[in-house]
């Protein structure tokens, strides 16, 4: 069965600092991988996605993620965070040829950016 | 551009009362639609999905039901709410040949 692990429940960083959020997945084939962001009391917004090609994918708001098949990872990064990046970030996996396109989510990482 | 709208934004309901949450998508014909549930502070769990009008598949049994009465509408309901139904309900549609989900703003439910 597929699974997504986000080992860090909370991350606190200072404004202007870099940010890395970790995501490890378990799936026998190459999955579709996603990062979503959830701002307080809002729905999920797609940051970026990966299926094939260049392992480094660029997303919205200067976020990028790097896929590693050997490490089964899909870590999210941002070079310089702003206070508005405070939110919960979810890594998610979708199986190829999945009836119903079931997304498996990690537990999320809550990011607090200090001014 | 596609837009997805959920209603109501929030509800406070009594245990044992009925519930109906709605989701409408515009700008996309014959979309695949999904319901997800998020416990407070928790991760997301898929509840139902629908590929076409009149057809709904259940993924997790939570004493809820779903219906697809129109191509652009997806309804989540129950006749008797439980305390465990509290949480955040998100509707989503599939884009990019079905590989990417785009979510609505959600409906927050508090059962008392």
């Amino acid at each position: 069965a597929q699974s997504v692990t986000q080992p860090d429940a909370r991350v606190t960083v200072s404004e202007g600092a870099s940010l890395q959020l970790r995501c490890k997945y378990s799936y026998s084939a190459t999955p579709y991988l996603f990062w979503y962001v959830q701002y307080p009391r809002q729905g999920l917004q797609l940051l970026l996605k990966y299926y094939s090609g260049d392992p480094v994918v660029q997303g919205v708001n200067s976020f990028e993620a790097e896929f590693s098949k050997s490490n089964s990872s899909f870590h999210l990064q941002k070079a310089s965070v702003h206070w508005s990046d405070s939110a919960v970030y979810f890594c998610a996996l979708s199986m190829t040829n999945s009836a119903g396109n079931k997304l498996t989510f990690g537990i999320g990482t809550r990011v607090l950016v200090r001014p | 551009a596609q837009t997805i709208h959920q209603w109501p934004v929030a509800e406070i309901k009594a245990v044992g009362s009925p519930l109906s949450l709605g989701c409408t998508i515009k700008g996309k014909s014959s979309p695949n639609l999904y319901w997800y549930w998020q416990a407070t502070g928790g991760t997301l769990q898929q509840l139902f999905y629908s590929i076409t009008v009149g057809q709904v598949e259940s993924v997790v049994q939570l004493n809820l039901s779903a219906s697809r009465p129109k191509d652009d509408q997806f309804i989540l309901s129950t006749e008797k709410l439980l305390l465990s139904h509290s949480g955040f309900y998100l509707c989503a549609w599939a884009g990019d040949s079905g590989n990417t989900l785009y979510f609505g703003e959600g409906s927050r439910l508090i059962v008392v």
Side-chain angles (χ1 to χ4, degrees):
Chain A
Q2 72 281 3
S3 66
V4 175
T5 301
Q6 293 180 249
D8 305 307
R10 292 177 184 268
V11 170
T12 301
V13 294
S14 298
E15 194 167 23
S18 63
L19 174 70
Q20 185 189 63
L21 303 182
R22 296 182 290 164
C23 173
K24 301 265 293 184
Y25 70 90
S26 174
Y27 182 54
S28 55
T30 300
Y32 292 92
L33 291 163
F34 307 86
W35 276 100
Y36 287 89
V37 61
Q38 186 176 35
Y39 298 103
R41 294 173 297 283
Q42 293 187 24
L44 273 69
Q45 297 177 27
L46 179 69
L47 280 178
L48 45 77
K49 60 186 177 183
Y50 173 82
Y51 177 60
S52 63
D54 189 338
V56 178
V57 291
Q58 304 296 323
V60 300
N61 203 17
S62 302
F63 281 95
E64 68 175 35
E66 183 168 4
F67 169 73
S68 171
K69 187 171 183 177
S70 59
N71 294 324
S72 297
S73 67
F74 190 53
H75 300 331
L76 181 72
Q77 299 170 89
K78 186 170 183 178
S80 177
V81 297
H82 185 263
W83 63 266
S84 59
D85 292 322
S86 296
V88 180
Y89 293 79
F90 289 96
C91 182
L93 171 159
S94 176
M95 297 183 294
T96 54
N97 301 316
S98 159
N101 192 21
K102 182 174 181 291
L103 273 182
T104 298
F105 285 87
I107 63 170
T109 298
R110 185 174 299 274
V111 173
L112 174 62
V113 180
R114 294 180 304 205
Chain B
Q2 297 82 10
T3 59
I4 183 167
H5 172 61
Q6 288 189 240
W7 73 93
V9 172
E11 284 240 71
I12 300 176
K13 303 276 282 186
V15 170
S17 64
L19 172 76
S20 182
L21 302 178
C23 169
T24 297
I25 179 166
K26 298 299 182 187
K28 174 80 174 171
S29 67
S30 304
N32 290 0
L33 295 175
Y34 306 81
W35 278 112
Y36 277 78
W37 173 72
Q38 183 183 30
T40 302
T43 190
L44 291 96
Q45 187 171 32
Q46 190 182 50
L47 301 177
F48 299 94
Y49 69 90
S50 172
I51 295 173
T52 189
V53 174
Q55 289 189 2
V56 176
E57 300 295 330
S58 174
V59 177
V60 173
Q61 291 292 333
L62 284 180
N63 293 306
L64 295 167
S65 60
S67 64
R68 179 94 176 256
K70 301 180 188 177
D71 187 53
D72 64 351
Q73 199 172 80
F74 203 19
I75 306 295
L76 184 70
S77 61
T78 183
E79 297 206 353
K80 284 189 176 181
L81 279 166
L82 307 172
L83 285 174
S84 57
H85 287 139
S86 292
F88 198 44
Y89 290 85
L90 289 146
C91 182
W93 63 277
D96 301 335
S97 303
N99 299 320
T100 303
L101 293 194
Y102 296 93
F103 289 83
E105 288 299 308
S107 294
R108 186 165 304 280
L109 173 67
I110 298 173
V111 182
V112 296

